[in-house]
Amino acid sequence: SFVSLGQVQGESCQAHVFSEKPTQQKALLRMKIAAAKLGANRLILRSCQQDQTDDCRARWICTGDAHQAQPLQ
């Protein structure tokens, strides 16, 4: 059985023209790190998408659900 720990996100952002371009791999890694900080050992990927915001001229953002597997009783 699994216990839901909530939704997590990871972002890779290019704030300036001269900044490194964002990548999906970095966004996924940051999402995994966020899940690990919650104590998750399972992650369900919901979406990864490219967009832009006022702060990021280009970005990747990935969203998923963090879960923790419970040992069998």
Side-chain angles (χ1 to χ4, degrees):
S1 85
F2 296 92
V3 174
S4 175
L5 302 175
Q7 190 176 72
V8 290
Q9 288 186 337
E11 178 184 83
S12 179
C13 171
Q14 181 185 23
H16 306 287
V17 174
F18 301 110
S19 300
E20 188 175 323
K21 290 192 179 208
T23 66
Q24 184 178 13
Q25 290 76 19
K26 286 181 186 175
L28 284 167
L29 178 60
R30 290 178 179 147
M31 182 183 63
K32 290 175 186 177
I33 290 169
K37 286 181 179 179
L38 293 176
N41 53 17
R42 298 287 189 269
L43 184 60
I44 298 172
L45 176 64
R46 293 294 176 196
S47 68
C48 280
Q49 58 189 8
Q50 284 184 290
D51 65 7
Q52 58 187 21
T53 66
D54 290 339
D55 296 329
C56 298
R57 57 180 283 114
R59 77 172 178 164
W60 272 97
I61 186 159
C62 295
T63 304
D65 297 321
H67 296 273
Q68 188 175 63
Q70 299 299 304
L72 296 174
Q73 300 287 332

